[in-house]
Amino acid sequence: MEPWFIKRFSQGITGDFARKIEEMLDFQKQGDFFCCPVFMTPSIHVCIHEILGCTYVDARRHLFLGSKALELMRFGFDQLNSDKGQDISCFDPATGSRNFVHKARDIIISDIKNPPSLTELSRMVGVNKTTLNQCFRKVYGVTAFNFLRTFRLEESKRLLQAGNRSVTEVAFEVGYAQQKTFSKEFKKYFGDTPSAFTRN
């Protein structure tokens, strides 16, 4: 993002967080974009999948993508805000000593159809189940199981909107053995049935 764009939203705001934004923007060279690292949370995953799966056209597409860009911006600033940010002590990017959390995430999303059990996953990253779940929740806001569930449902929505697979095929591809279970979970998460997201 360009610094002027961020400053539009920080005008008239006071407090530690506003000062932090101003300090970070002061470090930017003239004409440079403002960049900062953030942790990939389920909410950010969802937002990115919605952007990639956007089927709107014309003005609606512009409005949708613009709103999602602002949503990503807000998720990023939430992590920079010490009052609202997550405790990420389980992952130290400076030393890399606790990078098992991100490794576990990568393993989960590499094969959502046949993911390892929590016991197998913890063994693969070299920690016990309790430590893995606690640290996964601290970094991503949810347990490893709920992260997998969210990722599966978001991926299934993207596949359905692509229009070249049936609901049954999509359910099986993202790891659901029964279409009934998939449809129930999908409707609970998105508020509508899978068939509502297919192209007619």
Side-chain angles (χ1 to χ4, degrees):
M1 295 173 286
E2 294 184 82
W4 67 265
F5 182 75
I6 300 172
K7 286 182 178 180
R8 285 178 55 194
F9 293 92
S10 61
Q11 290 176 351
I13 301 174
T14 58
D16 291 338
F17 185 49
R19 283 193 296 273
K20 185 184 294 185
I21 292 176
E22 289 296 326
E23 289 171 3
M24 288 187 296
L25 291 177
D26 287 341
F27 280 108
Q28 301 296 306
K29 295 180 181 178
Q30 188 68 28
D32 281 359
F33 286 97
F34 174 75
C35 302
C36 64
V38 295
F39 289 93
M40 185 64 74
T41 65
S43 296
I44 292 177
H45 265 295
V46 168
C47 193
I48 291 174
H49 274 284
E50 288 176 339
I51 289 171
L52 295 176
C54 176
T55 57
Y56 292 119
V57 294
D58 302 326
R60 289 180 301 163
R61 179 178 180 85
H62 181 76
L63 288 170
F64 178 82
L65 295 178
S67 67
K68 290 300 169 182
L70 291 175
E71 194 173 345
L72 284 174
M73 178 178 164
R74 194 263 297 177
F75 289 140
F77 282 149
D78 274 351
Q79 293 186 22
L80 295 176
N81 188 350
S82 59
D83 295 331
K84 298 179 73 175
Q86 298 172 342
D87 175 9
I88 55 172
S89 60
C90 283
F91 178 72
D92 182 2
T95 65
S97 60
R98 297 288 183 98
N99 62 0
F100 61 85
V101 181
H102 284 334
K103 184 179 178 181
R105 178 206 63 189
D106 291 343
I107 292 171
I108 289 172
I109 65 178
S110 67
D111 188 4
I112 59 174
K113 185 177 178 181
N114 297 296
S117 66
L118 185 60
T119 300
E120 292 170 332
L121 183 61
S122 61
R123 190 181 302 118
M124 292 167 76
V125 298
V127 296
N128 63 50
K129 291 191 298 183
T130 302
T131 299
L132 177 59
N133 248 344
Q134 287 177 344
C135 289
F136 209 98
R137 184 185 289 275
K138 285 182 180 179
V139 174
Y140 293 110
V142 292
T143 63
F145 174 79
N146 283 330
F147 182 92
L148 171 63
R149 176 179 171 274
T150 299
F151 195 87
R152 276 176 165 170
L153 292 171
E154 287 297 330
E155 178 65 7
S156 68
K157 178 185 173 184
R158 186 186 69 80
L159 292 173
L160 289 167
Q161 290 178 325
N164 55 353
R165 295 175 179 84
S166 68
V167 173
T168 302
E169 288 172 330
V170 168
F172 181 72
E173 190 165 335
V174 299
Y176 284 89
Q178 297 182 346
Q179 181 183 329
K180 183 178 180 180
T181 303
F182 167 67
S183 297
K184 182 179 179 181
E185 294 262 335
F186 192 98
K187 186 172 183 179
K188 182 178 179 181
Y189 184 76
F190 289 110
D192 214 335
T193 62
S195 58
F197 290 84
T198 59
R199 292 183 180 178
N200 297 324

